[in-house]
Amino acid sequence: MCRGDRPEAKEKCDELERTLKSSFNLNAFTFPDYGIKPYPKVGKRYSHVTYYVYQDEKAFEQIGTVLNAYADSTNIGDSDAVYLSVKNWKNRGFYSWTNVDNKDDR
């Protein structure tokens, strides 16, 4: 999930998404028309949510490592007002603004 208050949020989101798609065998998941998607768009803030199916828990761990490395290399933080995160179906996530694995996010 990507969101941000500044125009460069979309650019950072797109770049991270390209990196993850080229590094992992991710398959996009599309909800049926009658399904309800979590994480609705909030206000005028840029928000981009894409759902992917990954191979296994090890792949998710590696995706989190890539997110953290990307956040470090691009200096994403609270001051940038760009927020990148990945969460799995167990509600475990990695977040650019904390740059830590949140194992207790359940």
Side-chain angles (χ1 to χ4, degrees), residues 31-85:
F31 285 88
D33 291 339
Y34 56 85
I36 298 173
K37 297 179 187 178
Y39 311 114
K41 186 174 180 178
V42 179
K44 294 181 180 179
R45 174 180 287 170
Y46 173 77
S47 181
H48 174 73
V49 179
T50 306
Y51 301 90
Y52 291 100
V53 178
Y54 53 90
Q55 294 175 328
D56 54 29
E57 196 67 24
K58 184 177 177 182
F60 180 75
E61 297 288 331
Q62 293 169 337
I63 288 168
T65 300
V66 170
L67 172 95
N68 288 338
Y70 179 79
D72 285 344
S73 71
T74 57
N75 296 317
I76 291 174
D78 274 347
S79 62
D80 283 336
V82 175
Y83 308 95
L84 307 172
S85 64

Side-chain angles (χ1 to χ4, degrees), residues 2-15:
C2 298
R3 64 182 173 87
D5 296 320
R6 296 173 56 180
E8 60 269 18
K10 181 177 180 348
E11 178 184 315
K12 302 277 189 193
C13 291
D14 290 347
E15 184 177 8

